[in-house]
Amino acid sequence: MELFKIPTKKLFWAVCAVGIGGAFQYGYNLSVINAPTTHVQKFINETWYSRYHSQLHEDLLTLIWSVIASVFTVGGLVGTFIGGHAAVKLGRKQTLLVNNVVAILAALFMGVARPAGLFELLIVGRFLIGMNAGVGMCVQPLYLGEIAPKKIRGITSVSINVFLTVGILSGQIVGLREVLGGENSWPLLLSSCAIPALIQLVALPCFPESPRYLLIDKKNEYQCQKALKSFYGVHHYQMEMDDIQKESNALNGEKQKKILELFFDRSVKWQLITIIVTNIGQQLCGINAIYFYAEYVFKKSGIPIEKIPYVTLGTGVCECITAMTCGLLIDRAGRRLLIIGGYSLMALFCILLTVTLTFQESYPWVPYFSMSAILAFILSFGLGPGGVTNTLTAELFTQSSRTGAFIIGGSVNWISFFVIGMVFPFIVNGLNQYCFLFFFVMCILIAGFIYTIVPETKNKSFLDIKDDFQKLNYGQSYKSPHQVEDSIDLDETM
């Protein structure tokens, strides 16, 4: 097979260099904030008392802590917009490199907060590291989707979810009280985000810019060829070069489309609807709610409080395993099977979780079924929605629309993330264990939408995928340029 003739060693290391400062950083800072909750709240109380010689009201303490935790999502939203625009102006690689400076600044602010006696610096640091994550999660899939040949574009894009889950797991491990989760070490814990940033600053300059960006956006054919030769070798780059030139010719000098232009562009109508639905679904399916409120869920499952951090660690291991499994399957099984199957299984386990939580006090063995349902839910997410969503966003758009699409998809993802973080406690209080019925409905609706609308994209060029959507965008009478050419050739032979 041609796939195995392509040298992929340098491509593999490029994926690692990009992932460590992108999805890994996001996942790490998503989970690392959970461990020092009690210690940071104590620090806030002590700081308040030293300033005003009065005890901080419990409601105000909760509000300050909520701001520290949730400002990460606000930074992520801002970073998505910055990253999308910077990726066009500076290039994918340069944007990722500059982004590491933001992470180092964030680490500095969070590291000096306690010695300086300023809990406000934690808010600034969390905002900055959120902005870093927003830039990384916008630009990383852009870069990876553009450097990978179509036969392994799926597994390359799924590496985003692999690094994200490894980041979550690393944050959980480092956050254990035996490591950096203790009362005196939490400033080191929060400032440890500088390490992935430094690694990327050293590693990423060894790899070239995105070849598609160089040719289609910068019109630099020489640098594009040089980048492709660097990734695939002088004997294997021509096929990708031809594919990029074909896309460049089809775009015919079309400039990068702005966000508002995409909303009014009929040619990307259903692609845009698809990424909005799938990015909302990735958050509203319940996965981040389980991570943010894992303690509540496991208490309901009957797990002893002192064991909860280690059970949560088990969920991280589960998601890492399924992310890697998804990477091995996506270019064989296809995108549709994995994402539809993932959401369908998640819907099933939402029902099981509702039933087991309802009857968990009836029998001593029922809580273990609740825990199993949670782990199975996480496995299903990693196998499908967690790995495939970013791949779809990278594949459904051609070069002129892709950056804007990632800004829109990323913004929807961060806003949904923020909303579910704010709303979930109220859903829990109002519905108790029946809250998972809400997630059941979401999973069923999204699986149904993908089954009805989204075509299979594996082993297809970006132009082929665009043609697949045009019948939806323009109606059944639409003919692709390839079909028109075939008709002309047929008429000439008659």
Side-chain angles (χ1 to χ4, degrees):
M1 286 181 65
E2 188 68 29
L3 168 62
F4 298 105
K5 294 179 181 179
I6 300 173
T8 55
K9 184 177 179 180
K10 189 157 188 176
L11 181 64
F12 170 78
W13 289 114
V15 168
C16 294
V18 173
I20 192 69
F24 178 90
Q25 188 79 283
Y26 168 66
Y28 184 79
N29 289 285
L30 187 68
S31 66
V32 82
I33 194 65
N34 294 321
T37 301
T38 305
H39 307 315
V40 174
Q41 288 179 346
K42 182 181 178 182
F43 161 65
I44 295 170
N45 266 321
E46 291 172 349
T47 303
W48 188 274
Y49 186 81
S50 67
R51 288 182 192 174
Y52 307 108
H53 304 290
S54 63
Q55 292 294 328
L56 181 61
H57 193 276
E58 187 175 344
D59 291 341
L60 184 55
L61 174 63
T62 303
L63 176 62
I64 293 171
W65 170 248
S66 297
V67 170
I68 291 171
S70 62
V71 77
F72 178 78
T73 59
V74 180
L77 182 60
V78 173
T80 299
F81 283 93
I82 293 173
H85 292 295
V88 176
K89 298 287 184 182
L90 302 177
R92 284 53 163 149
K93 175 184 167 182
Q94 195 65 29
T95 299
L96 289 169
L97 286 172
V98 173
N99 191 38
N100 291 299
V101 177
V102 179
I104 293 169
L105 281 175
L108 181 64
F109 279 115
M110 291 187 287
V112 303
R114 185 177 181 182
L118 296 169
F119 63 79
E120 292 86 353
L121 293 181
L122 294 176
I123 298 174
V124 177
R126 285 289 292 175
F127 174 80
L128 288 175
I129 199 61
M131 193 166 75
N132 168 271
V135 172
M137 292 302 289
C138 177
V139 182
Q140 180 187 350
L142 264 178
Y143 183 80
L144 295 181
E146 291 174 3
I147 68 171
K150 61 186 177 183
K151 290 187 177 181
I152 57 170
R153 196 168 57 223
I155 190 172
T156 304
S157 297
V158 166
S159 69
I160 297 166
N161 198 46
V162 173
F163 276 96
L164 191 154
T165 54
V166 171
I168 290 174
L169 179 61
S170 300
Q172 291 170 341
I173 293 171
V174 176
L176 292 173
R177 60 180 179 270
E178 294 89 348
V179 189
L180 291 180
E183 185 174 353
N184 296 320
S185 55
W186 66 262
L188 284 174
L189 175 65
L190 296 184
S191 60
S192 59
C193 60
I195 297 173
L198 291 170
I199 293 173
Q200 187 175 80
L201 276 174
V202 172
L204 192 55
C206 300
F207 303 96
E209 179 57 270
S210 157
R212 287 181 184 274
Y213 173 79
L214 291 170
L215 181 62
I216 300 175
D217 290 290
K218 291 301 180 182
K219 312 300 180 188
N220 193 329
E221 185 172 343
Y222 171 73
Q223 288 296 332
C224 175
Q225 281 188 347
K226 187 177 177 182
L228 286 172
K229 288 176 182 178
S230 175
F231 279 126
Y232 308 127
V234 294
H235 301 296
H236 303 280
Y237 81 96
Q238 192 60 51
M239 186 186 301
E240 286 304 308
M241 186 71 193
D242 294 341
D243 190 48
I244 296 172
Q245 285 178 326
K246 185 178 179 182
E247 184 178 345
S248 180
N249 294 335
L251 293 172
N252 195 26
E254 187 177 347
K255 294 182 179 179
Q256 284 287 337
K257 293 179 182 178
K258 297 179 181 178
I259 296 171
L260 286 178
E261 289 176 334
L262 287 180
F263 281 109
F264 293 101
D265 186 348
R266 188 178 178 185
S267 69
V268 295
K269 174 184 174 183
W270 280 103
Q271 294 97 306
L272 204 57
I273 292 172
T274 298
I275 66 160
I276 289 171
V277 170
T278 52
N279 276 279
I280 289 175
Q282 200 176 31
Q283 299 297 336
L284 299 191
C285 67
I287 188 67
N288 280 327
I290 282 181
Y291 274 116
F292 262 121
Y293 302 99
E295 186 171 339
Y296 167 82
V297 174
F298 287 128
K299 279 181 183 176
K300 284 285 185 182
S301 301
I303 306 298
I305 294 175
E306 66 275 9
K307 300 293 183 183
I308 286 176
Y310 303 97
V311 177
T312 305
L313 194 64
T315 64
V317 173
C318 286
E319 199 169 354
C320 278
I321 292 170
T322 48
M324 294 174 187
T325 305
C326 180
L328 295 173
L329 292 176
I330 190 168
D331 286 315
R332 297 182 181 183
R335 285 60 158 157
R336 273 172 55 88
L337 177 63
L338 290 181
I339 197 167
I340 294 170
Y343 275 118
S344 300
L345 287 172
M346 288 161 70
L348 171 64
F349 293 122
C350 279
I351 293 294
L352 290 176
L353 190 57
T354 303
V355 172
T356 56
L357 287 176
T358 300
F359 296 102
Q360 71 170 345
E361 295 179 1
S362 302
Y363 303 96
W365 47 265
V366 173
Y368 297 99
F369 276 88
S370 297
M371 185 178 69
S372 299
I374 289 172
L375 294 175
F377 182 94
I378 292 170
L379 289 170
S380 304
F381 175 82
L383 188 63
V388 180
T389 301
N390 275 320
T391 304
L392 285 178
T393 309
E395 291 183 331
L396 300 190
F397 297 87
T398 53
Q399 191 78 6
S400 61
S401 304
R402 193 174 295 119
T403 301
F406 267 105
I407 294 175
I408 293 169
S411 300
V412 168
N413 201 299
W414 283 104
I415 291 169
S416 303
F417 187 1
F418 178 78
V419 169
I420 197 65
M422 297 298 292
V423 171
F424 185 73
F426 299 101
I427 296 176
V428 170
N429 290 335
L431 298 177
N432 294 317
Q433 68 269 25
Y434 299 106
C435 67
F436 288 98
L437 294 178
F438 168 80
F439 300 124
F440 165 79
V441 172
M442 289 301 303
C443 291
I444 289 295
L445 289 175
I446 297 161
F449 172 86
I450 294 166
Y451 179 81
T452 307
I453 299 296
V454 183
E456 182 55 69
T457 60
K458 90 173 172 179
N459 291 337
K460 292 182 180 179
S461 71
F462 295 126
L463 290 178
D464 291 336
I465 296 166
K466 181 180 179 181
D467 287 343
D468 287 343
F469 270 94
Q470 297 318 298
K471 289 182 181 179
L472 283 171
N473 292 328
Y474 291 105
Q476 292 299 318
S477 60
Y478 172 83
K479 284 188 177 182
S480 73
H482 308 99
Q483 291 172 322
V484 172
E485 289 175 5
D486 291 342
S487 298
I488 293 172
D489 293 340
L490 184 63
D491 290 340
E492 290 176 351
T493 58
M494 292 292 289

